Amino acid sequence: MCIEMDELSGKPQAGGSQTHANPNKLRTLKQAWQKNSLGPVVRRFPERKGKFTTSSPSIVIQPLYMPSDETSNDGTADEYLRKLGFPGEYPFTRGVQPNMYRGRLWTMRQYAGFGSAAESNRRYHYLIEQGQTGLSVAFDLPTQIGYDADHDLAQGEVGKVGVSISSLQNMRTLLRDIPLDKVSVSMTINAPAAILLAMVIAVAKEQGVPPAQLRGTVQNDILKEYIARGTYIFPPASSMRLMTDLFLYCAQRLPRWNTISVSGYHIREAGSSAVQEVAFTLANAVEYVQQAINVGLDVDLFASQISFFFNAHNDFLEEVAKFRAARRLWAKLMRQRFGATNPKSWRLRFHTQTGGSTLTTQQPDNNIVRVTVQALAAILGGTQSLHTNSKDEALALPTEKAVEIALRTQQILAGESGVGDVVDPLGGSYYIEWLTDEIESRACEYIERIDEMGGAMQAVADGFVQREIQESAYASLRAVESGAQTVVGVNRYQGGTALPEETLRVDEVVQNEQIAALTALRAGRDQSKVSAILQRIDQSARKAGEPLMPLFVEAVESDVTVGEICDALRAVFGEYQPSSWV
């Protein structure tokens, strides 16, 4: 069984005894929630406004709305508590914080990175000046697959789809004048995630920021690379070892850092349905948790540092229900399947990015509307962090002007729409609640099938997950081609196809400058020290259970490059080759 019928969600946390035949049951439990859950949070983090009202000032908005005692009985109250509960409490259907955005808005974290570290640093400072509240770093393809900018396979790709980072020198430039004790940093990096995190730790130390104060995320989700993206390096078992090694290191030294961002985003971009996005993402997360437990980690030691990354697609109400279903299903999996006892271990916290695959090159201004609808779905679904795509991203990396519009979209939703003034505003809708149940049930069926195969790693090795996504993608393509699914400007309303006035292009000089910088770096460093640390990495990689993360920190501080560390690991672990089913 994926999950079993759960006990009442309100019982362990709401603070009131659940007396049967109590006509005021929900009222009593709500009062307990206000006292024991909401109250302490509001005292610690005061609400954004002194008073929340609609545009009619006399209409005061309460934090939470739920069934009234007059329309409920013990049976309906129990059903409400089992399926929805209270925000900030198990099963977290209505949100992971008691007051959600009334206390603090979601983090506005625009994904950015291109060309050189200096260029990307300028973009980050621009975004912060425009009101962005967190960084999200995009790396170029060579960095993602562990090659330095001067490697033969890096030619023509340096700085093209993200920033080029080969050395600590680059990372130092990338984060220049960004206070790492105040700004959280998210990095979309997987196979070499531990090495890039080691660089952030080294830069923070230079700033005088201890590791325990660092806030941010490494994606570190290797299974979805085998499924949907392809920026893997090592075979699955070795990749899992690097992942669990990072889990332990961060649990001990970086308690505020998210050690993984389990990604449904790329699964959806590859063509999955909403149900498949939830199912395959959570199945991957189950595999990661089990792998960490297998090497001796206590679930409550690391589970609170697991985060998620979802797509916001076009079917507005389905997306809202998807986020709620994922949150509830994860809470049940962690509590029932893995026996986690810390409520923080049950919470599914997630970043959302609007759907890149939904953007069109035709009539690109339409993408602003698509992104707005998708962003609203993410907010109403309870996201903790949000990236809004730019209108020109179907054509190239976004221009500064397009990025500004994308950020302003979030700011308008946050400041003008009022959607953040109440917790889970669509909760209780007959359709939303039915669809939440339906998505959870169907995702659970997928997880059970994957369990029968031996888990997500085996299902990926057998090609099951990939085939399911391919079939879904093909069905969606056929629907667009036949006209059954409308895409404005593509298969309907096709008049007016003007392209943006400008698109961003990365200058080829970036690669030449990176190569020159690497040559100078290698000439000026202590080569005997470099050789010694690479030898120690080789020796530790050959011994099961030997920690590698401390060596990575030492290596980058000695100016060992990303490519050199990855090559040392390649010599021990080998490289992954896709199965013959592809």
Side-chain angles (χ1 to χ4, degrees), residues 548-568:
L548 289 166
M549 190 67 198
L551 294 177
F552 295 157
V553 176
E554 185 178 343
V556 300
E557 290 178 333
S558 301
D559 286 325
V560 184
T561 67
V562 171
E564 289 166 340
I565 297 171
C566 287
D567 282 347

Side-chain angles (χ1 to χ4, degrees), residues 285 289 308 326-334 346-348:
V289 172
F308 291 80
R327 197 160 42 231
R328 183 168 69 199
L329 181 51
W330 182 245
K332 293 177 181 178
L333 285 166
M334 291 305 295
W346 307 333
R347 298 186 307 171
L348 185 147

Side-chain angles (χ1 to χ4, degrees), residues 224 227-229 263-278 280-281 309-320 322-323 352-358 374 439 465 469-470 472-473 476 485:
K224 69 93 174 53
I227 293 169
R229 286 191 77 234
S263 176
Y265 182 85
H266 303 95
I267 289 170
R268 192 65 177 278
E269 290 291 280
S272 80
S273 67
V275 167
Q276 289 171 333
E277 182 185 356
V278 173
F280 299 151
T281 304
F309 175 23
F310 287 113
N311 198 303
H313 224 261
N314 279 336
D315 192 326
F316 178 75
L317 294 176
E318 182 182 43
E319 293 301 290
V320 174
K322 177 188 78 177
F323 298 129
T352 309
Q353 181 173 339
T354 56
S357 62
T358 69
Q374 294 163 3
I439 292 172
V465 176
I469 294 172
Q470 287 174 357
S472 175
S476 180
Q485 179 178 327

Side-chain angles (χ1 to χ4, degrees), residues 523-577:
R525 67 189 182 180
D526 185 338
Q527 192 57 45
S528 62
K529 193 174 182 180
V530 169
S531 298
I533 187 64
L534 287 174
Q535 180 63 27
R536 289 167 59 201
I537 289 173
D538 178 279
Q539 292 171 351
S540 292
R542 295 180 188 278
K543 299 175 184 176
E546 279 283 307
L548 289 166
M549 190 67 198
L551 294 177
F552 295 157
V553 176
E554 185 178 343
V556 300
E557 290 178 333
S558 301
D559 286 325
V560 184
T561 67
V562 171
E564 289 166 340
I565 297 171
C566 287
D567 282 347
L569 296 174
R570 283 185 179 96
V572 178
F573 298 154
E575 292 186 313
Y576 175 71
Q577 298 298 324

Side-chain angles (χ1 to χ4, degrees), residues 48-49 105-106 108 379 407-421:
R48 292 181 289 113
K49 303 178 183 179
L105 293 169
W106 60 91
M108 298 180 191
I379 295 163
L407 179 58
R408 294 287 182 257
T409 300
Q410 291 201 51
Q411 292 167 334
I412 289 169
L413 288 171
E416 299 183 23
S417 72
V419 294
D421 291 352

Side-chain angles (χ1 to χ4, degrees), residues 157-400:
E157 292 292 342
V158 175
K160 289 296 177 66
V161 299
V163 63
S164 175
I165 301 291
S166 296
S167 68
L168 179 59
Q169 184 181 76
N170 296 147
M171 185 63 79
R172 194 179 289 125
T173 301
L174 184 74
L175 299 176
R176 185 170 53 213
D177 297 326
I178 292 173
L180 294 176
D181 57 339
K182 297 180 174 64
V183 177
S184 65
V185 179
S186 175
M187 298 189 292
T188 302
I189 194 72
N190 295 281
I195 302 166
L196 275 297
L197 175 56
M199 290 182 173
V200 173
I201 293 169
V203 172
K205 287 165 67 176
E206 292 174 357
Q207 290 187 4
V209 179
Q213 289 186 21
L214 285 174
R215 293 181 299 116
T217 304
V218 277
Q219 193 161 96
N220 196 27
D221 175 6
I222 200 63
L223 285 176
K224 69 93 174 53
E225 296 298 323
Y226 303 127
I227 293 169
R229 286 191 77 234
T231 61
Y232 44 71
I233 303 175
F234 313 112
S238 299
S239 295
M240 289 294 184
R241 175 184 170 183
L242 292 172
M243 179 206 68
T244 55
D245 185 72
L246 191 150
F247 275 21
L248 178 60
Y249 184 90
C250 289
Q252 295 174 338
R253 308 188 197 194
L254 278 76
R256 304 174 74 188
W257 192 271
N258 295 320
T259 55
I260 194 168
S261 177
V262 191
S263 176
Y265 182 85
H266 303 95
I267 289 170
R268 192 65 177 278
E269 290 291 280
S272 80
S273 67
V275 167
Q276 289 171 333
E277 182 185 356
V278 173
F280 299 151
T281 304
L282 297 196
N284 287 348
V286 165
E287 183 73 56
Y288 295 137
V289 172
Q290 189 60 59
Q291 290 285 336
I293 291 171
N294 290 348
V295 299
L297 299 185
D298 180 83
V299 65
D300 284 315
L301 176 69
F302 66 86
S304 64
Q305 291 176 276
I306 295 174
S307 64
F308 291 80
F309 175 23
F310 287 113
N311 198 303
H313 224 261
N314 279 336
D315 192 326
F316 178 75
L317 294 176
E318 182 182 43
E319 293 301 290
V320 174
K322 177 188 78 177
F323 298 129
R324 301 170 84 252
R327 197 160 42 231
R328 183 168 69 199
L329 181 51
W330 182 245
K332 293 177 181 178
L333 285 166
M334 291 305 295
R335 187 175 179 180
Q336 296 180 14
R337 181 167 183 157
F338 293 110
T341 58
N342 186 342
K344 291 183 178 180
S345 300
W346 307 333
R347 298 186 307 171
L348 185 147
R349 298 168 299 112
F350 66 98
H351 170 72
T352 309
Q353 181 173 339
T354 56
S357 62
T358 69
L359 304 180
T360 64
T361 58
Q362 301 92 332
Q363 302 176 23
D365 285 349
N366 294 346
N367 293 329
I368 299 173
V369 182
R370 293 186 178 100
V371 166
T372 303
V373 171
Q374 294 163 3
L376 183 58
I379 295 163
L380 293 176
T383 192
Q384 277 62 68
S385 172
L386 179 61
H387 165 93
T388 34
N389 287 329
S390 300
K391 68 175 185 176
D392 53 0
E393 287 191 56
L395 295 155
L397 291 172
T399 63
E400 195 168 274

Side-chain angles (χ1 to χ4, degrees), residues 72-118:
S72 67
N73 53 40
D74 270 9
T76 58
D78 289 351
E79 183 73 356
Y80 170 83
L81 292 167
R82 184 174 66 83
K83 288 189 173 184
L84 279 79
F86 293 92
E89 295 185 356
Y90 185 87
F92 301 101
T93 313
R94 306 201 70 180
V96 295
Q97 297 293 344
N99 59 342
M100 288 301 290
Y101 308 134
R102 284 174 68 107
R104 192 186 78 173
L105 293 169
W106 60 91
T107 301
M108 298 180 191
R109 193 186 299 278
Q110 293 299 104
Y111 186 46
F114 62 93
S116 68

